[in-house]
Structures are given as C-alpha cells and as structure tokens.
Amino acid sequence: YTQMLVESQSLQSSGDSSVSGIQAIKQIPASLQDMLMSRLDRIDCDLSVVQLGATIGRGFTWELIRASSSLDESALQAELEKLVRAELLVMHGRAPRHRYQFKHALLQDAAYSSLVKARRQEYHGRIAEALESSFPDVCEKEPEVLAQHFMEASQWEKAAEFWKRAGERSLKRYAYREAIQQLRSGLESLKELPETRDRHQREIELHVMLGVPLQSIVGYSAPAVEENYARAFALR
C-alpha cells in the first residue's frame, strides 16, 4: 500500500515542478482500489488473474489457481511472475508447489472488490468445482471452504451439502459453536431452493443435527432448542 502511494507521488513529482505538494496529493487516486488498478495497468497485467487469486483468498497454491483459471499453464505462470515482480504477490516454496500470497490483505480486498457480481459468482463456482474434482484432501478436511465458495456462487444445493459435511466434522471434534454456525449456514442455503419433499427431508436432517450442539451450548430448555425441533417436526 505504501509503495503504491510513493509511486503515485513520484509520478506527480516527475512532471511540472511547480505543482505543489498539496496538489500532488490531491491527484493521488482516491482509493486503494484505484491505486491497485492503476498499478496493474502500468505492468500490463491480466486483471482476471489478480481477481481470481483474490477470490481464492489471501494466499493460494499454484495447483488451485491453475485448476480454476481459464488461461493455459504458461500464460498463467507468466502473469503470476509479473505480479511477484511488481511486489503485489509474494511467492513461497519451489515448483510445482508454489504458494502465492498477497503482500497486504488490503490488496486482496481491493482486487476482490473490483469484481462485478456475475464474475464474482463465476470465480467462486470455478474454485469450488476445482476443489471438489481435484482436491480430495480439502473436501475431507476443510468442507467449509467448498461450502463458502458454493454459497458465494449461488450453487445452493452444493453449498448445503458441504455445510452439512462441515457440521458433521465439527460435531465429531466437539467444536459445537462451529457446528452451529455451519449447520445454520446449511439451512440458509436450503431456503434458496424450491420447496420440495427432498428439500424438507434435508432440512429435517440439519435441524436434528443442529439440536445436539445447541443443547450443549444454550441448554435443553432454551427457546432456540425448542424452535429448532419444532421446525423439524413441522416439516415431517
């Protein structure tokens, strides 16, 4: 972030020396997102690579971005090298297990915020599908990651499925607060689907699962527990 500010000021000072410091500061892009876009323009970078990486998260592996990107391998590698040279990304490890990280979380936020809704959903969907098809370890150990991507992609059925898996895993680890949040996210996802017998059955399963951690956290007689089981009974 500081580097982009310095570069912006340097560009101004390299012109008319009569421009005052105050005027120069006024000409600096008004937001970090503007600065990021300006910098990407100067290095002639494919914006989609930055945005896809930001959609994955603050850090991402070469294997995952390659599986999610529409670019061929050599083109994608070249684009990532540009971003590393420009100090927007930091690269760790050795090929083929490179891991990239945005140098600052604000850079990731700015790149992600630059996505329009339709493209954002598309990228989340690509990432989720890549994880499901090619990363069995993530599916097993971090189902909440897939659930979140499917939810952001508005793929509600898949989102509910993986939130259920995440909730089951949390219950096995006695991570009850996590399980509550995950199972409730699954129920929210199901609400987006048409009302069918299959959807109702899935809701019942999630409500029954949710009852266990709710009772442990808030007690058997808490209104939240009663409401949860009442909804499950009503769906029968």
Side-chain angles (χ1 to χ4, degrees):
Y1 173 69
T2 304
Q3 178 66 24
M4 285 191 284
L5 278 172
V6 170
E7 287 181 4
S8 297
Q9 289 172 308
S10 297
L11 285 172
Q12 297 298 334
S13 62
S14 64
D16 186 351
S17 60
S18 65
V19 177
S20 71
I22 293 176
Q23 289 174 320
I25 290 172
K26 286 181 178 179
Q27 293 174 39
I28 294 173
S31 70
L32 179 59
Q33 185 173 321
D34 293 333
M35 292 181 189
L36 176 62
M37 296 302 109
S38 175
R39 191 168 185 185
L40 292 174
D41 286 343
R42 294 202 299 278
I43 64 175
D44 190 25
C45 172
D46 186 336
L47 178 59
S48 69
V49 174
V50 186
Q51 293 173 324
L52 180 60
T55 305
I56 296 172
R58 171 80 187 275
F60 53 89
T61 63
W62 159 251
E63 290 94 336
L64 180 52
I65 196 168
R66 179 184 61 185
S68 308
S69 176
S70 59
L71 296 180
D72 63 52
E73 188 170 320
S74 60
L76 177 60
Q77 186 66 63
E79 290 299 323
L80 289 168
E81 287 172 1
K82 287 181 190 177
L83 296 171
V84 171
R85 287 197 300 270
E87 298 186 344
L88 295 174
L89 295 180
V90 178
M91 186 178 72
H92 303 283
R94 296 182 179 180
R97 297 187 178 277
H98 289 153
R99 181 174 180 81
Y100 299 89
Q101 185 173 20
F102 282 90
K103 194 165 185 179
H104 300 288
L106 288 173
L107 292 174
Q108 181 212 346
D109 291 343
Y112 186 72
S113 297
S114 70
L115 281 162
V116 296
K117 182 178 179 181
R119 185 58 60 88
R120 185 177 299 183
Q121 288 181 329
E122 176 193 339
Y123 285 176
H124 278 292
R126 280 196 213 169
I127 294 161
E129 288 161 11
L131 287 169
E132 185 177 21
S133 62
S134 304
F135 296 84
D137 285 352
V138 179
C139 293
E140 180 183 349
K141 297 177 182 178
E142 300 178 85
E144 66 277 5
V145 173
L146 285 89
Q148 189 64 50
H149 283 300
F150 276 125
M151 180 178 270
E152 295 292 345
S154 297
Q155 295 187 34
W156 305 112
E157 189 168 355
K158 283 286 189 180
E161 174 190 338
F162 278 96
W163 281 127
K164 181 182 178 183
R165 292 192 197 182
E168 288 172 338
R169 190 166 185 275
S170 293
L171 286 174
K172 288 178 182 177
R173 296 184 294 111
Y174 301 101
Y176 288 148
R177 293 188 186 279
E178 288 181 21
I180 290 170
Q181 184 252 327
Q182 291 158 348
L183 295 171
R184 282 177 169 168
S185 293
L187 289 167
E188 288 300 312
S189 298
L190 286 176
K191 287 180 182 179
E192 302 293 332
L193 296 175
E195 288 217 25
T196 63
R197 182 60 193 163
D198 178 66
R199 180 193 124 173
H200 289 174
Q201 184 58 43
R202 292 184 183 203
E203 281 190 68
I204 291 170
E205 291 172 2
L206 288 179
H207 279 296
V208 171
M209 289 175 63
L210 179 59
V212 175
L214 273 179
Q215 290 174 57
S216 296
I217 297 297
V218 301
Y220 290 89
S221 59
V225 174
E226 183 180 347
E227 291 169 10
N228 178 67
Y229 284 122
R231 174 61 178 166
F233 184 81
L235 290 167
R236 293 180 61 186

